[in-house]
Amino acid sequence: MAKRAVKTTIPDDSIIADVVVQLDNPIEYVRRVLEKLERCRRAKGDAQVRIGVRSRAECPNYLIEYIVEDKKSHEKSVFADAAYSGSTHRELAPRHIEETQNWSREEMNVTAVSALIGRLRNPSPRSPRSYED
């Protein structure tokens, strides 16, 4: 009889830094997310990422969003750019974006994800919670 993997649940307010120790390949996962964030930032402006809380904790899906600021009111609006598979990093169908219960309530911006990959590549002897911002 084949063993079934135990499904680890992801709290609905998690960010990548919260689940990084559970990722199959943390450096590669965060690098690929950062690549998608940078592409969105160059094309549309400030970008951020939310992880899929209904995904596998070893490689959660993720949603890239961009922020647009109204020049007059300085009010910021957030728009979905694309959702990606956490295992293949390929774009998911647009219907995944619309299912808001799939995505964490919290996000990480490009700067925070860049800092996270830096800490993963050059770990310091700090506590395990050092991956959080």
Side-chain angles (χ1 to χ4, degrees):
M1 185 178 236
K3 283 188 175 182
R4 288 197 137 165
V6 176
K7 181 166 171 115
T8 306
T9 57
I10 301 172
D12 67 353
D13 62 347
S14 296
I15 58 174
I16 296 171
D18 295 332
V19 299
V20 75
V21 296
Q22 298 171 308
L23 297 175
D24 284 339
N25 188 343
I27 293 174
E28 181 62 12
Y29 178 89
V30 176
R31 185 191 71 77
R32 299 287 296 270
V33 169
L34 185 58
E35 184 179 83
K36 305 292 188 199
L37 277 168
E38 288 288 356
R39 184 179 305 149
C40 178
R41 186 183 59 77
R42 284 191 301 274
K44 298 182 178 172
D46 200 11
Q48 62 188 28
V49 61
R50 296 178 190 276
I51 60 171
V53 295
R54 293 181 163 196
S55 309
R56 290 182 26 227
E58 305 83 38
C59 55
N61 295 342
Y62 54 96
L63 173 66
I64 303 294
E65 300 172 315
Y66 61 97
I67 299 112
V68 176
E69 184 176 345
D70 183 278
K71 293 186 189 313
K72 289 184 180 179
S73 68
H74 299 287
E75 188 173 309
K76 293 182 180 183
S77 300
V78 177
F79 300 95
D81 182 51
Y84 295 92
S85 162
S87 57
T88 65
H89 299 277
R90 291 187 181 136
E91 191 169 339
L92 298 172
R95 68 179 166 78
H96 292 281
I97 294 171
E98 297 161 6
E99 297 172 9
T100 56
Q101 73 276 9
N102 286 343
W103 309 112
S104 174
R105 294 178 312 198
E106 299 296 322
E107 73 286 324
M108 287 181 80
N109 62 24
V110 176
T111 304
V113 176
S114 290
L116 176 60
I117 199 165
R119 290 191 301 274
L120 289 169
R121 288 180 174 160
N122 302 304
S124 66
R126 294 183 350 190
S127 72
R129 303 232 359 128
S130 66
Y131 294 119
E132 294 183 18
D133 286 1

